[in-house]
Amino acid sequence: MKRWKGVSNNMIAPLTTLHKQYKDRMRRKSMLVLLTQMILLVGFIAIWEWSSKARIVDPLIFSSPSKIANHLYTSLLDGSILPHIGITVAETIAGFLLGTLLGTLIAALLWWFPFVARVFDPFLVVLNSMPKVALGPLLIVGLGPGFGSIVAITLLVTVIITTINIYNRFRETEEGLLKVATIFGATRFQTFYYVILPAAFPVIISTLKVNVGLAWIGVIVGEFLVARVGLGYLIIYGFQVFNFTLVLSTLVVIAFVATFMYQAVSFLERKVTSGWKDR
């Protein structure tokens, strides 16, 4: 036993060293990528600031990083921008969550009832090809201006693409896995829960990431049409009064918050995926 234990340790030690070297290489590569990204970002900001000061670009239209930073600092300090951020983030999260959940539920129902899927397939194709934001005015008239209509516009943007992506993945589950489940006497619910859903999990997570951007598109377009508060409203107002520093400041805020949401979804992906694999 001792001899086998010694051999085992001799085999494990080089593997541990190789694994540590691999992790060090990956860490250095990640740091290099982050450093390159920071250099590009700082360089872009510096060139933008210099171009604005030298009037190579029109400072009235393109403003400058220093003006944008000053505007953001002032609006955060006096709290004037916080209500706009709050309402837009609330609308985006509501549309994002409802769109993903509803789309996944519809995809599950279509898989569960093949006849219904065949009936509604051409309607899904038409709805997917239709510019959903064009229906915004109808929703505003029907639901009234406000939170509900903006979330409804966001749902239009997110639900159809979620349904199509996830349903297609449900249908493309490996046939061999389904046959094994059938041989072992799995019910339709057990087949869905233990075979179909785990196989589609990567697509569901990638759809979450896509829906972050789609939800922002739906909310901002909805606020363009009807809102009197929100980041989309600030963009429209800035254009109307030719305050392009306000417009660009709002875009910076949107980029920051959208990035934070995307990173939150990525964090959720790592946590949930590892937990699902451990089951």
Side-chain angles (χ1 to χ4, degrees), residues 9 11 41 57 70 72 99 107 109 116 118-119 133 148-149 151 167 169-170 180 190 200 221 236 242 247 263 267:
N9 289 336
M11 293 175 62
L41 178 60
V57 297
N70 181 67
L72 287 174
L109 291 175
V116 175
R118 293 184 63 182
V119 169
V133 295
S149 59
V151 172
Y167 172 63
R169 185 63 187 90
F170 285 168
V180 170
Q190 289 172 331
V221 169
I236 290 296
F242 288 91
V247 173
Q263 293 301 324
F267 176 78

Side-chain angles (χ1 to χ4, degrees), residues 34-249:
L34 179 60
L35 179 61
T36 304
Q37 291 172 338
M38 294 302 297
I39 290 173
L40 289 174
L41 178 60
V42 172
F44 172 76
I45 293 174
I47 292 173
W48 183 6
E49 181 72 25
W50 172 77
S51 300
S52 179
K53 298 290 186 186
R55 294 190 174 274
I56 296 176
V57 297
D58 190 341
L60 175 64
I61 298 176
F62 297 101
S63 188
S64 68
S66 58
K67 290 181 180 178
I68 293 172
N70 181 67
H71 181 271
L72 287 174
Y73 175 77
T74 303
S75 57
L76 287 172
L77 198 62
D78 61 20
S80 60
I81 198 174
L82 296 180
H84 298 282
I85 295 176
I87 189 64
T88 299
V89 170
E91 292 164 347
T92 304
I93 292 176
F96 166 73
L97 293 178
L98 290 175
T100 303
L101 292 174
L102 186 58
T104 304
L105 177 61
I106 295 173
L109 291 175
L110 292 176
W111 177 86
W112 198 282
F113 302 105
F115 177 78
V116 175
R118 293 184 63 182
V119 169
F120 282 94
D121 182 68
F123 298 103
L124 289 175
V125 172
V126 171
L127 287 174
N128 187 47
S129 60
M130 180 183 297
K132 270 73 73 176
V133 295
L135 299 175
L138 295 178
L139 291 174
I140 292 168
V141 172
L143 300 176
F147 188 91
S149 59
I150 293 174
V151 172
I153 294 172
T154 307
L155 285 177
L156 277 179
V157 176
T158 56
V159 166
I160 301 302
I161 192 66
T162 300
T163 300
I164 291 175
N165 285 345
I166 296 179
Y167 172 63
N168 285 337
R169 185 63 187 90
F170 285 168
R171 290 195 307 173
E172 294 168 0
T173 303
E174 187 178 343
E175 191 67 27
L177 296 175
L178 299 177
K179 289 181 179 179
V180 170
T182 303
I183 291 172
F184 279 95
T187 64
R188 191 163 180 78
F189 175 78
Q190 289 172 331
T191 301
F192 178 78
Y193 187 75
Y194 291 106
V195 179
I196 301 294
L197 195 59
F201 206 72
V203 173
I204 295 174
I205 292 297
S206 65
T207 302
L208 281 174
K209 293 180 176 180
V210 171
N211 280 352
V212 170
L214 293 178
W216 276 99
I217 292 172
V219 167
I220 296 302
V221 169
E223 291 182 345
F224 281 173
L225 295 173
V226 70
R228 290 295 176 267
V229 63
L231 297 177
Y233 164 74
L234 288 182
I235 293 175
I236 290 296
Y237 176 76
F239 275 117
Q240 289 174 344
V241 299
F242 288 91
N243 186 350
F244 294 104
T245 298
L246 173 61
V247 173
L248 292 172
S249 300

